[in-house]
């Protein structure tokens, strides 16, 4: 009871009701506390998907700013960290299970170049969503995903011009800076036939914008190593492969079982079909054709 009262607002408002108010006031410490309380309650009730959603949102907010971190306080932060650690051990959660399966397949059955193409195919499926999110102030970088996907695919075959390399580096930096901007916590767009999509819905699966930044950074380091004739190239990572699943959106908008969400099922099918493609019949022409189709895809369509 005491712990519950500690995290209830001064006006007695429940944390769900405080989210909009905190965003409106740009009270990021209050927003982090409200997210934490929602996650703590969900976890205590056995609703682990919602616990994952809200606790990781709290962690993202207070980790991005030292001042917010201090206002939130060690008691909340320590408990939030412990709970996130416990959730990471839950093998049955889609949040954990799918990335683990992808990583296992990548390590056991694919060459580095194939892992990179596998991730790029998934990123291509975010192009249309990125274009829509780019209308939000400060999110213009997301509207350039289509260019970046095409450029990176081409650069697997031909080294890019210096200005293209620099443009991709600038984009990589902008993706890194997106996390922590006020719009990241408050921006949203309308979804035809569905609930609005919040920019913060990109936070799931280690942060989609972080995976986009990580993939782009790794590709830049690969190109730099190749241009210098390095014998040892940076290892590919598989994190971007799951980036178009967007589980936070579906959990936040009411899904009880992620595995039964039609869009999740469709995206999982695409992930494993792409795996089969890069493993057994990979060609640059085939990859370009898939990317061209994926760039047209509305990943949130009913």
């Amino acid at each position: 009871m005491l712990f519950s009262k500690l995290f209830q607002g001064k006006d007695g408002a429940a944390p769900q009701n405080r989210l909009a108010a905190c965003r409106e006031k740009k009270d990021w410490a209050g927003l982090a506390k409200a997210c934490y309380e929602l996650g703590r309650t969900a976890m205590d009730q056995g609703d682990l998907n919602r616990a994952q959603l809200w606790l990781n949102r709290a962690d993202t907010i207070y980790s991005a700013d030292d001042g917010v971190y201090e206002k939130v306080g060690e008691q909340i932060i320590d408990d939030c960290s412990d709970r996130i650690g416990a959730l990471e051990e839950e093998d049955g959660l889609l949040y954990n299970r799918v990335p683990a399966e992808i990583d296992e397949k990548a390590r056991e059955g694919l060459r580095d170049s194939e892992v990179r193409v596998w991730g790029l195919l998934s990123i291509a499926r975010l192009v249309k969503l990125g274009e829509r999110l780019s209308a939000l102030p400060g999110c213009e970088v997301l509207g350039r995903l289509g260019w970046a996907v095409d450029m990176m695919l081409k650069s697997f075959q031909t080294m890019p011009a210096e200005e293209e390399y620099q443009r991709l580096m600038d984009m990589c930096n902008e993706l890194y800076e997106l996390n922590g901007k006020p719009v990241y916590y408050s921006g949203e767009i309308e979804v035809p036939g569905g609930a609005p999509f919040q920019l913060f819905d990109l936070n799931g699966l280690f942060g989609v914008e972080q995976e986009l930044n990580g993939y782009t950074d790794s590709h830049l380091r690969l190109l730099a190593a190749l241009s210098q004739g390095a014998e040892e190239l940076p290892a590919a990572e598989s994190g971007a492969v799951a980036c178009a699943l967007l589980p936070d959106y579906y959990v936040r908008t009411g899904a009880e079982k992620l595995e039964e969400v039609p869009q999740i099922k469709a995206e999982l099918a695409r992930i494993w079909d792409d795996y089969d493609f890069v493993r057994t019949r990979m060609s640059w022409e085939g990859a370009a054709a898939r990317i061209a189709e994926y760039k047209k895809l509305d990943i949130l369509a009913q």
Side-chain angles (χ1 to χ4, degrees):
M1 179 68 71
L2 178 62
F3 207 55
S4 178
K5 287 182 177 179
L6 178 63
F7 300 114
Q8 197 171 36
K10 292 179 180 179
D11 57 357
Q16 187 68 258
N17 297 331
R18 300 205 311 267
L19 294 176
C22 288
R23 285 194 293 264
E24 181 70 22
K25 294 185 295 183
K26 295 181 171 55
D27 176 9
W28 307 131
L31 184 62
K33 291 177 182 179
C35 288
Y36 162 76
E37 187 176 349
L38 285 167
R40 177 178 62 86
T41 300
M43 191 168 183
D44 290 347
Q45 293 174 347
D47 190 345
L48 301 188
N49 281 329
R50 284 178 176 74
Q52 180 88 5
L53 166 76
W54 294 113
L55 292 173
N56 277 282
R57 288 197 178 194
D59 178 79
T60 295
I61 296 166
Y62 63 64
S63 296
D65 185 283
D66 289 343
V68 172
Y69 188 98
E70 292 180 3
K71 289 179 181 178
V72 171
E74 294 293 337
Q75 183 176 0
I76 291 178
I77 290 170
D78 288 347
D79 187 62
C80 189
S81 179
D82 288 345
R83 289 174 180 272
I84 290 173
L87 288 170
E88 290 173 350
E89 300 299 318
E90 294 286 342
D91 295 335
L93 281 179
L94 179 142
Y95 281 95
N96 300 330
R97 177 174 53 79
V98 172
E101 290 174 358
I102 289 170
D103 184 60
E104 181 180 3
K105 295 289 188 183
R107 286 187 290 104
E108 293 181 356
L110 299 180
R111 295 174 294 182
D112 270 26
S113 61
E114 293 167 341
V115 175
R116 291 180 184 276
V117 173
W118 194 15
L120 194 62
L121 292 169
S122 292
I123 294 172
R125 296 194 286 274
L126 291 176
V127 166
K128 186 172 285 292
L129 177 61
E131 290 172 351
R132 295 166 62 195
L133 289 170
S134 70
L136 297 171
C139 300
E140 294 80 5
V141 62
L142 296 174
R144 301 199 293 277
L145 283 179
W147 170 84
V149 167
D150 289 341
M151 180 273 189
M152 287 189 281
L153 179 67
K154 182 181 177 181
S155 69
F156 282 120
Q157 307 160 72
T158 306
M159 288 296 291
E162 183 177 348
E163 52 268 29
E164 287 184 307
Y165 181 91
Q166 184 60 52
R167 184 181 176 189
L168 188 65
M169 180 177 288
D170 292 341
M171 184 173 173
C172 182
N173 292 334
E174 289 181 62
L175 286 168
Y176 177 79
E177 293 167 358
L178 185 60
N179 187 337
K181 286 185 176 181
V183 69
Y184 190 66
Y185 310 139
S186 58
E188 67 177 34
I189 58 171
E190 294 299 316
V191 175
F197 184 92
Q198 297 181 353
L199 189 61
F200 215 172
D201 290 331
L202 298 179
N203 198 60
L205 294 173
F206 310 109
V208 170
E209 86 297 337
Q210 294 178 49
E211 292 295 352
L212 296 177
N213 164 259
Y215 183 96
T216 307
D217 179 71
S218 178
H219 192 79
L220 287 165
R221 289 188 287 110
L222 173 67
L223 294 177
L226 290 170
S227 69
Q228 296 164 10
E231 294 184 4
E232 186 172 342
L233 301 178
E237 298 180 358
S238 64
V241 174
C243 68
L245 280 169
L246 306 175
D248 275 17
Y249 172 68
Y250 300 105
V251 173
R252 182 182 61 79
T253 56
E256 295 297 328
K257 295 183 178 180
L258 285 172
E259 292 81 358
E260 296 179 2
V261 174
Q263 294 91 333
I264 293 278
K265 293 168 70 174
E267 177 57 17
L268 286 171
R270 286 186 287 262
I271 286 172
W272 297 121
D273 186 64
D274 285 346
Y275 169 72
D276 183 65
F277 167 74
V278 298
R279 184 175 62 90
T280 65
R281 57 187 194 279
M282 166 66 191
S283 71
W284 295 120
E285 295 81 5
R290 282 180 177 245
I291 282 175
E293 286 301 312
Y294 288 155
K295 286 166 60 179
K296 302 174 187 176
L297 182 66
D298 182 354
I299 201 71
L300 301 177
Q302 299 291 320

